[in-house]
Amino acid sequence: IQPKSVTYKMQGDFGYLRLSGFNEKATDETLAAINALRAKDPQMKGLVLDLRNNPGGLLDQAIGVASLFLNGGEVVSQRGRDPQDIERYDAKGHDVLNGMPLVVLINSGTASASEIVSGALQDRHRAAIVGVTSFGKGSVQTVIELGGGLDGALKLTTARYYTPSGRSIQKTGIQPDLEVAETRD
């Protein structure tokens, strides 16, 4: 049984959507949740996207989720040692919220694919990022089998992820626009 990576509810006039990981259904489940929230309240005034403690997952799903909130343009780039070795990934489709206010919640457990999404939405001025600085996992690893896989494998960092404005995610993470620390009673 594969648990859903998306949970959602209305909080007054605002939608709340928690995305716990970027599995192969993350984009489809996120879009379905947004459509369900809008069906519940056609007058919804904004959306809170909760990426706290989201460890990441699949790159194509990070691009897909970011694409739900962007009208084209760059989501992330991948850069290796050679300055000419840059791969850019652009948003596909259009902003399904049509510019509706969007807030993204992050914390120190927000990593990898969730940092790609929050960094893209921040750099593209599409969302306010709220919380504390994210984990900073922005490296691309390539697995190289040794002896045809019989002698194990080597995981080698071959590139890093960068936000649309050119900020490296690795080690620095995503800094929130509004720092709000979680407190426990």
Side-chain angles (χ1 to χ4, degrees):
I1 298 173
Q2 182 81 321
K4 286 194 179 290
S5 59
V6 174
T7 54
Y8 60 92
K9 62 184 174 184
M10 286 300 299
Q11 290 283 112
D13 293 335
F14 295 88
Y16 170 86
L17 191 156
R18 167 129 178 76
L19 180 55
S20 60
F22 287 85
N23 65 22
E24 55 279 337
K25 295 181 181 169
T27 303
D28 292 341
E29 287 181 10
T30 300
L31 179 58
I34 291 168
N35 290 336
L37 287 168
R38 293 185 100 173
K40 276 186 187 178
D41 186 354
Q43 306 305 312
M44 185 170 76
K45 293 183 178 169
L47 180 69
V48 175
L49 176 61
D50 190 346
L51 297 178
R52 293 174 297 174
N53 297 316
N54 180 322
L58 302 171
L59 174 62
D60 68 321
Q61 294 299 305
I63 295 163
V65 169
S67 294
L68 295 174
F69 307 109
L70 297 170
N71 291 317
E74 188 173 310
V75 172
V76 67
S77 63
Q78 181 177 308
R79 304 177 192 183
R81 281 187 187 191
D82 183 350
Q84 277 74 25
D85 188 20
I86 298 176
E87 223 173 310
R88 297 186 191 283
Y89 300 94
D90 291 336
K92 297 156 184 55
H94 68 284
D95 179 3
V96 298
L97 295 178
N98 298 315
M100 182 186 299
L102 178 63
V103 170
V104 178
L105 304 179
I106 64 170
N107 67 7
S108 59
T110 302
S112 191
S114 53
E115 291 176 296
I116 289 170
V117 171
S118 53
L121 296 177
Q122 183 180 50
D123 280 7
R124 302 281 307 283
H125 307 288
R126 179 58 189 93
I129 311 299
V130 177
V132 295
T133 301
S134 65
F135 184 79
K137 200 280 184 195
S139 60
V140 181
Q141 275 102 26
T142 301
V143 177
I144 303 166
E145 290 185 349
L146 302 174
L150 299 173
D151 296 324
L154 175 70
K155 191 183 278 190
L156 185 67
T157 298
T158 54
R160 290 191 175 160
Y161 289 120
Y162 289 81
T163 67
S165 70
R167 295 181 293 152
S168 173
I169 295 170
Q170 183 64 21
K171 293 186 181 174
T172 58
I174 302 297
Q175 278 80 35
D177 298 311
L178 177 62
E179 188 162 352
V180 178
E182 182 179 344
T183 58
R184 300 229 189 277
D185 293 341

